[in-house]
């Protein structure tokens, strides 16, 4: 033990003698509230609390009910003398923390953010800005959402060096959303590398029909990663990205949400042009409760370089019998066998047997290295996938499966037999093996 090795005659270590570099490093691991508490410990720590490296990155969780008022006070009283050092600012309002006092919280957040951004304007040039999950479409914001949008847009006009911007979950109206994007792209458009605007607009809005939206993207020159919803995608947007971001765009992540319009027709030639302009482009599609084969097929056109595909229901009690994924899996295996790298399926439909289509897809896809499934499935499928890996017929390295069944113990024992059968391959790390059984009495 450490205590037994210490010299009883040696004086105890005094924290005041720690080098400043170590104290600063310790303070960097603390959150905003704990760091403020440490600053009042002594005059030396209070001085080190103003070290520039501690003020380059600030993160505030406005959804923490216990620390809500303290967090707001810290934002409103942000020291102007240290604003110059700020390079990364993050603020989020997560849904899990919202309760009965949400209307009061929204009022306080609007006033706090308005004060903070006005104090920061002209004194800080951020590199990273993340404002997540504010959901301005909620009634609890009332007319305060317009005031908050005005403050954010006014602040973005002063920023000319932003490279990483995340505004997902903002749920702004088209008018408010376009206003903030216009302010963002006006000065930082040529510098932005990463832009996340998934769930940025309200649901059920046909953003693809707004000419102002895709015209804003003409200001981007070096965009590498883009996250957005399918209701924003159009031929005009893909053409604009090919012209302005050709050679720089590497990741395009698209979310298809059932509440958003997703029936617009996009020509395959537009995807082909984007693919030719961006040789290293990887496209990720996430379908959330849009699982009819015809709907998925209309979005997944053969000329797109699809690398990641996620099909999820998000709710086990809202499963339609028309959600049959076997035709979709065969379609993906037919047209994307040379590009698909990751596949994730989360859907409970006992009437749909995916074993044979998935085994065929695993063998056909040359680059598929990750498969994650949560669905009704026989344990024989797990054994077959492990056998394919052992015989070298697939490059699959990550295989995670949740087998949903109403016979919990029996299926668990069968999985244990499969695990013992292929334990040598798993022990050597040739396959990241993670399986378990989930009991569902409604199957």
């Amino acid at each position: 033990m450490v205590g037994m090795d210490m010299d009883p005659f040696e004086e105890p270590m005094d924290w005041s003698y720690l080098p400043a570099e170590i104290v600063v490093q310790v303070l960097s691991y603390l959150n905003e509230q704990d760091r403020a508490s440490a600053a009042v410990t002594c005059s030396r720590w209070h001085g080190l609390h103003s070290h520039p490296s501690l003020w380059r990155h600030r993160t505030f969780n406005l959804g923490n009910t216990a620390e809500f008022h303290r967090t707001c006070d810290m934002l409103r009283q942000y020291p102007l003398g240290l604003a110059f050092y700020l390079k990364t600012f993050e603020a989020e309002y997560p849904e899990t923390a919202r309760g009965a006092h949400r209307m009061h919280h929204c009022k306080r957040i609007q006033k706090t953010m308005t004060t903070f951004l006005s104090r920061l304007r002209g004194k800080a040039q951020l590199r990273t800005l993340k404002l997540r999950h504010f959901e301005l479409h909620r009634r609890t914001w009332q007319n305060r959402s317009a005031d908050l949008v005005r403050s954010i847009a006014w602040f973005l006009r002063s920023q000319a060096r932003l490279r990483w911007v995340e505004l997902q979950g903002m749920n702004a109206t088209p008018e408010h959303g376009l206003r903030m994007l216009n302010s963002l792209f006006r000065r930082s458009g040529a510098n932005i590398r990463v832009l996340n605007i998934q769930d940025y607009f309200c649901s059920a809005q046909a953003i693809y029909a707004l000419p102002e939206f895709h015209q804003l993207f003409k200001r981007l020159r070096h965009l590498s990663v883009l996250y957005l919803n399918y209701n924003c995608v159009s031929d005009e947007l893909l053409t604009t990205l090919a012209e302005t971001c050709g050679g720089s765009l590497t990741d395009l992540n698209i979310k298809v949400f059932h509440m958003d319009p997703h029936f617009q027709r996009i020509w395959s030639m537009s995807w082909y042009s984007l693919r030719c302009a961006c040789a290293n482009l990887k496209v990720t599609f996430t379908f959330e409760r849009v699982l009819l084969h015809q709907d998925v097929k209309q979005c997944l056109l053969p000329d797109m370089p699809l690398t990641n595909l996620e099909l999820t229901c998000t709710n086990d009690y809202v499963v339609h019998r028309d959600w049959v994924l076997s035709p979709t899996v065969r379609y993906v295996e037919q047209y994307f066998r040379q590009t698909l790298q990751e596949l994730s399926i989360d859907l409970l439909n006992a009437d749909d047997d995916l074993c044979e289509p998935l085994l065929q897809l695993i063998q056909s896809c040359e680059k598929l290295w990750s498969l994650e499934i949560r669905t009704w499935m026989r344990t024989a499928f797990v054994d077959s996938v492990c056998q394919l890996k052992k015989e070298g017929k697939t490059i699959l390295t990550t295989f995670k499966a949740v087998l949903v069944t109403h016979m919990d113990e029996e299926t668990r024992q069968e999985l244990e037999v499969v695990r013992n059968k292929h334990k040598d391959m798993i022990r050597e790390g040739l396959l990241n093996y993670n399986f378990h059984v989930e009991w569902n009495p409604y199957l």
Side-chain angles (χ1 to χ4, degrees), residues 205-214 231-234 236 264:
Q205 299 291 332
I207 306 301
Y208 62 85
L210 301 177
E212 301 89 342
F213 177 73
H214 61 80
N231 65 329
C232 298
V233 180
S234 63
E236 292 79 7
Q264 69 269 32

Side-chain angles (χ1 to χ4, degrees), residues 95-109:
E95 183 178 2
T96 55
R98 297 169 187 167
H101 303 289
R102 175 173 166 79
M103 185 173 296
H104 169 70
H105 283 188
C106 290
K107 180 180 179 180
R108 184 78 189 274
I109 289 174

Side-chain angles (χ1 to χ4, degrees), residues 20 31 34 44 105 110 115 148 171 187 190 199 204 234 241 247 261 277 282 309 342 371 399 411 415 426:
N31 57 33
D34 293 340
R44 183 167 181 262
H105 283 188
Q110 182 268 318
T115 302
L148 180 59
N171 286 116
R187 298 189 63 189
D199 299 329
S234 63
L241 291 176
K282 297 180 179 179
L309 176 61
E342 300 180 51
L371 176 63
F399 183 29
T411 306
L415 273 181
I426 298 172

Side-chain angles (χ1 to χ4, degrees), residues 189-206:
N191 297 319
I192 294 177
R193 265 62 173 179
V194 178
L195 178 63
N196 189 337
I197 53 173
Q198 279 190 355
D199 299 329
Y200 174 71
F201 292 99
C202 294
S203 301
Q205 299 291 332

